Amino acid sequence: MSEQAPASGRRKRLTQEREREILEATFALVAEVGYEQATVDEVARRTKASTATLYRQWENKPKLVITAMMARKYPPLPNIDAGSLRDDLVALARMMPAPHPKGAPTLGIWQAVISDPGLAQALRDVLFAPYLDALRTILARHVERGTIRPDNPALAHSEMFLMGSVLVEKLFTGTEADADQLIAVMDALLLPALTSSS
């Protein structure tokens, strides 16, 4: 079960330094005890913050944990326009994040995603959102260029394909999907579907 925020009051913005301190403490806690055992109360205790402050800032534990992962590892996503549809998708695949930041093998995020809908939503909203936005931009550009038919049904499933390819590798084999694996699946399945003329 994810920890949910109490009734929200007026949101007071934390300083960048204070936010970074809290996110570092969250990352360290989850790396130490795992996602399930980490609590917002313990983050508050370690950072001498109130739980109300943490809930106002991040709403719930899943978003706090995912934001802590993002702050530790992932830079902003640059614009992707490599020319062809395949080149754009390959460039996106090479920017996709690994589920676990290196040095924190006990985060246990993927196992928790299965049983915690709040964490799954936070994973999408915080961690995957920039990549899904980039995918939408790529697909819209290639529809406009005529590479993809606007009525191609594969367009409606492309986001699920991108997320699913990353998740399935972890759940089925216990290993992280790398860019080469994602590109191989794109070449075999997604590209043919997107460029089909029928």
Side-chain angles (χ1 to χ4, degrees), residues 5-197:
S8 60
R10 174 171 296 192
R11 186 184 177 99
K12 183 178 180 181
R13 191 71 189 167
L14 297 174
T15 65
Q16 286 187 348
E17 181 179 355
R18 183 63 169 145
E19 183 174 321
R20 185 166 53 250
E21 178 187 356
I22 291 169
L23 293 176
E24 285 289 333
T26 301
F27 187 97
L29 174 63
V30 178
E32 178 186 326
V33 304
Y35 173 78
E36 292 292 343
Q37 299 303 314
T39 66
V40 175
D41 285 346
E42 179 60 16
V43 173
R45 188 190 71 78
R46 291 187 178 197
T47 59
K48 296 181 171 55
S50 71
T51 55
T53 295
L54 301 186
Y55 282 124
R56 277 198 303 271
Q57 191 74 18
W58 289 284
E59 298 181 15
N60 52 40
K61 183 174 97 171
K63 285 190 177 179
L64 174 59
V65 171
I66 297 298
T67 304
M69 291 173 64
M70 290 281 290
R72 173 62 73 94
K73 183 177 176 71
Y74 309 118
L77 205 63
N79 180 55
I80 299 171
D81 189 354
S84 71
L85 174 60
R86 183 182 187 276
D87 287 346
D88 285 348
L89 292 176
V90 166
L92 178 60
R94 296 206 181 282
M95 294 178 189
M96 287 291 291
H100 293 278
K102 290 179 181 178
T106 59
L107 282 170
I109 293 297
W110 293 122
Q111 292 84 351
V113 162
I114 298 172
S115 59
D116 190 333
L119 180 61
Q121 187 64 47
L123 196 69
R124 179 185 175 89
D125 291 348
V126 178
L127 184 59
F128 279 109
Y131 303 92
L132 294 175
D133 287 344
L135 177 63
R136 292 184 202 107
T137 299
I138 289 168
L139 297 179
R141 183 169 60 245
H142 286 284
V143 167
E144 184 177 340
R145 291 176 180 175
T147 311
I148 305 171
R149 292 187 356 258
D151 61 345
N152 188 321
L155 286 168
H157 304 288
S158 297
E159 293 178 29
M160 188 63 67
F161 173 90
L162 187 67
M163 291 182 63
S165 297
V166 175
L167 293 170
V168 166
E169 184 70 25
K170 180 64 179 178
L171 294 175
F172 276 30
T173 70
T175 60
E176 313 294 358
D178 62 23
D180 289 337
Q181 290 170 302
L182 186 53
I183 291 165
V185 179
M186 282 179 170
D187 281 338
L189 300 173
L190 183 59
L191 272 169
L194 287 172
T195 56
S196 172
S197 59

